[in-house]
Amino acid sequence: MRYEKLLFVCSQNRLRSPTAEAVFCEYEGLEVDSAGLDREAEMPLCSEAIQWADIIFVMEKSHRSKLLKKFQPWLKTKRVICLDIPDEYEYMEPALVELLKKKVLPLLGTF
């Protein structure tokens, strides 16, 4: 079985992207990681994480811009998807979990 490697990125890696990691790591066939774009992030994004990922999900358009500015050389063959999820949710908040599933699962096709 081929595993799809998903990387979720937000600013601080404290609320949205760790929630996405926790939600999708439960799915068979997915390997999931998360990181933040800010220097002070819980887990700062590195080029190794980008190289590892099959699909990179960013939470906001500003994250895509920062990602492209900081990691352009590693993004040439990567699929980057903006989920348009604002920073107004708590970690594992049910509304955030539902929104993530609604936006991400159709893009994966097999779930």
Side-chain angles (χ1 to χ4, degrees):
M1 175 180 202
R2 180 175 149 12
Y3 282 86
E4 195 83 42
K5 297 175 187 160
L6 311 181
L7 177 62
F8 291 92
V9 178
C10 64
S11 298
Q12 297 290 319
N13 191 228
R14 291 196 176 102
L15 303 173
R16 293 173 289 174
S17 57
T19 296
E21 181 179 0
V23 168
F24 294 106
C25 75
E26 300 295 320
Y27 285 79
E28 178 126 0
L30 297 179
E31 287 183 52
V32 187
D33 201 2
S34 68
L37 284 161
D38 292 353
R39 247 176 272 186
E40 315 79 45
E42 294 292 319
M43 176 62 67
L45 184 60
C46 63
S47 59
E48 290 80 13
I50 292 170
Q51 289 171 302
W52 167 86
D54 294 318
I55 305 173
I56 301 166
F57 292 97
V58 296
M59 297 296 162
E60 300 175 38
K61 288 180 179 71
S62 63
H63 297 143
R64 185 198 310 254
S65 299
K66 276 187 189 175
L67 183 70
L68 290 169
K69 197 184 291 183
K70 290 172 78 173
F71 295 98
Q72 183 68 49
W74 296 277
L75 292 168
K76 291 187 188 339
T77 62
K78 298 297 175 177
R79 188 170 167 204
V80 178
I81 298 170
C82 180
L83 296 174
D84 284 314
I85 297 177
D87 190 10
E88 56 189 39
Y89 299 96
E90 293 302 316
Y91 177 72
M92 293 305 287
E93 183 177 325
L96 175 57
V97 171
E98 284 309 306
L99 188 56
L100 283 163
K101 286 180 180 180
K102 188 176 124 194
K103 289 185 174 239
V104 172
L105 291 177
L107 297 169
L108 299 179
T110 54
F111 296 92

